[in-house]
């Protein structure tokens, strides 16, 4: 059984395959009758040990649209609160014979740990500062719809790169597809290993925006800070916030993206987040359902007796 722990495990043609598979669900999801029975009889468990709006709901909707039985583990009222370990929790889910498990966890590597213990495909719905592969796939699908090709596309990712699994997965995904990725953050919020990631590093947001085709903004992950020096919200907006004036430094048709949740008025101004045609933020959410449908379909093909994910 092959799951999806990270973009790092995917070849470029596999990324493109998942984007192509998702495209059919984009079309279906725009109809009133959205339900298919492809995964009828399968049980999918969503186990989210960290908060989520978009990812949890879209995994649930994706599973239901494909006809699966979807169960959301209520972590806050589960036996995790009585001290049950992650591995014992994973073994418990495994014994219930789930056909796929989507997991979000606050610790980097927790999803791989569970994937090594269970008998079904495990999908990483975000683990610590490590990866959020379905987010990168939905972002790539959003970009492909608007820009058609990735080769040579200039993508600027700005914000708390250090703590961002979204940044890490997007860097891996977009560079693998041929885009030119620029990352921009205050020095304290840039990972020490960034030079190894095939990106251009900036601390000056205006310079990072020059001729950008896509501008992806990230929030400050205050819940993961461990004493890093960060500017005040007002100063942060001044240095790293995306205003209309600043966006004008990018290409005139540059896309604006944000994985959410947004902190309006800090990393992105409301009039930028709500720009008609240019802001892709609601499109990203829409693509998220299609990508998760594609992942659930493709990753359970082997279990359904179909030709599996190689
Ligand atoms: N983008 C994202 O992962 O959002 P949620 O935390 O709401 O799932």
């Amino acid at each position: 059984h092959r799951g999806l722990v990270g973009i790092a495990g995917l070849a470029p043609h596999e990324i493109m395959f998942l984007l192509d598979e998702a495209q059919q669900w984009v079309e279906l999801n725009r109809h009133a009758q959205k339900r298919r029975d492809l995964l009828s009889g399968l049980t999918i468990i969503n186990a989210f040990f960290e908060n989520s709006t978009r990812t949890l709901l879209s995994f649930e909707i994706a599973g239901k649209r494909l006809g699966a039985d979807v169960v959301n583990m209520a972590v806050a009222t589960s036996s995790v609160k009585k001290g049950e370990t992650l591995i014992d929790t994973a073994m418990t889910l495994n014994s219930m014979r789930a056909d796929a498990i989507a997991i979000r966890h606050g610790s980097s590597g927790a999803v791989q740990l569970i994937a090594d213990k269970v008998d079904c495909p495990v999908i990483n719905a975000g683990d610590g500062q490590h990866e959020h592969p379905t987010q990168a796939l939905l972002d790539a699908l959003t970009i492909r719809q608007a820009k058609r090709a990735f080769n040579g596309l200039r993508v600027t990712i700005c914000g708390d790169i250090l703590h961002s699994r979204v940044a890490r997965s997007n860097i891996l995904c977009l560079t693998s597809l041929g885009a030119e990725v620029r990352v921009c953050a205050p020095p304290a919020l840039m990972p020490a290993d960034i030079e190894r990631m095939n990106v251009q590093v900036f601390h000056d947001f205006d310079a990072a925006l020059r001729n950008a085709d896509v501008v992806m903004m990230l929030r400050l992950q205050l819940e993961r800070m461990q004493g890093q020096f960060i500017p005040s919200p007002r100063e942060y907006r001044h240095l790293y916030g995306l205003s209309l004036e600043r966006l004008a430094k990018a290409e005139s048709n540059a896309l604006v993206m944000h994985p959410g949740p947004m902190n309006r008025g800090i990393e992105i101004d409301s009039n930028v987040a709500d720009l008609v045609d240019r802001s892709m933020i609601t499109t990203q959410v829409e693509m998220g359902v299609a990508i998760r449908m594609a992942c659930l379909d493709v990753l359970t093909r082997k279990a359904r007796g179909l030709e599996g994910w190689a």
Side-chain angles (χ1 to χ4, degrees):
H1 59 89
R2 183 174 175 194
L4 178 60
V5 174
I7 297 293
L10 298 179
H13 75 270
E14 292 176 318
I15 296 173
M16 293 305 276
F17 172 69
L18 287 171
L19 302 190
D20 292 341
E21 287 287 322
Q23 197 59 50
Q24 66 186 302
W25 305 124
V26 174
E27 312 307 330
L28 176 85
N29 287 336
R30 289 177 180 164
H31 294 141
Q33 295 297 326
K34 302 174 180 65
R35 205 179 152 130
R36 292 289 181 274
D37 59 3
L38 226 57
L39 304 192
S40 174
L42 266 59
T43 302
I44 294 165
I45 299 181
N46 294 322
F48 279 53
F49 297 81
E50 266 193 343
N51 293 351
S52 170
T53 297
R54 283 149 284 268
T55 314
L56 176 59
L57 276 173
S58 60
F59 266 113
E60 180 173 1
I61 289 170
K64 287 181 171 167
R65 291 228 171 124
L66 294 174
D69 297 315
V70 182
V71 182
N72 293 335
M73 178 177 161
V75 171
T77 53
S78 74
S79 288
V80 169
K81 299 293 170 197
K82 301 176 196 163
E84 189 160 45
T85 66
L86 183 59
I87 289 178
D88 285 336
T89 303
M91 297 310 289
T92 303
L93 300 184
N94 195 47
S95 304
M96 293 176 182
R97 296 196 172 272
D99 297 291
I101 306 177
I103 299 171
R104 169 168 289 194
H105 199 280
S107 299
S108 308
V111 176
Q112 184 65 62
L113 195 74
I114 294 178
D116 292 340
K117 294 281 170 196
V118 302
D119 298 317
C120 66
V122 168
I123 307 177
N124 186 355
D127 66 328
Q129 297 166 215
H130 174 229
E131 279 227 42
H132 191 353
T134 57
Q135 178 71 45
L137 292 169
L138 76 86
D139 288 337
L141 187 59
T142 304
I143 293 172
R144 189 174 75 167
Q145 287 210 342
K147 299 285 182 189
R148 304 281 157 223
F150 295 96
N151 223 13
L153 205 67
R154 290 176 292 264
V155 182
T156 299
I157 306 176
C158 180
D160 182 358
I161 308 290
L162 176 68
H163 296 113
S164 179
R165 54 201 180 202
V166 174
R168 187 167 287 271
S169 289
N170 261 299
I171 290 167
L172 290 166
C173 184
L174 293 167
T175 55
S176 159
L177 298 177
E180 180 192 301
V181 178
R182 305 164 177 180
V183 291
C184 180
L189 297 180
M190 191 66 84
D193 65 349
I194 196 70
E195 302 293 348
R196 282 190 260 131
M197 295 197 74
N198 194 20
V199 293
Q200 294 171 39
V201 179
F202 292 84
H203 299 297
D204 175 344
F205 191 22
D206 294 305
L209 281 172
R210 215 162 287 140
N211 307 116
D213 299 299
V214 178
V215 185
M216 192 181 289
M217 301 305 296
L218 303 172
R219 74 183 172 94
L220 289 170
Q221 299 199 30
L222 298 176
E223 71 276 24
R224 296 191 211 282
M225 297 289 172
Q226 292 175 321
Q228 285 90 359
F229 174 77
I230 52 163
S232 66
R234 198 184 152 104
E235 207 179 356
Y236 186 85
R237 179 187 173 272
H238 178 66
L239 292 170
Y240 296 103
L242 189 59
S243 59
L244 275 180
E245 186 189 9
R246 204 163 240 153
L247 181 62
K249 298 182 193 305
E251 287 293 305
S252 59
N253 61 350
L255 303 179
V256 174
M257 300 178 70
H258 194 307
M262 281 186 276
N263 290 123
R264 289 173 182 259
I266 300 182
E267 75 271 15
I268 189 165
D269 283 2
S270 268
N271 55 7
V272 178
D274 300 333
L275 269 179
V276 177
D277 296 332
R278 304 267 307 272
S279 172
M280 296 288 113
I281 296 167
T282 55
T283 308
Q284 287 171 269
V285 177
E286 184 184 2
M287 296 305 122
V289 178
I291 281 292
R292 284 153 189 145
M293 289 171 82
C295 290
L296 291 173
D297 169 23
V298 169
L299 294 173
T300 58
R301 280 186 190 169
K302 222 168 163 186
R304 289 183 282 136
L306 302 171
E307 197 164 317
W309 178 234

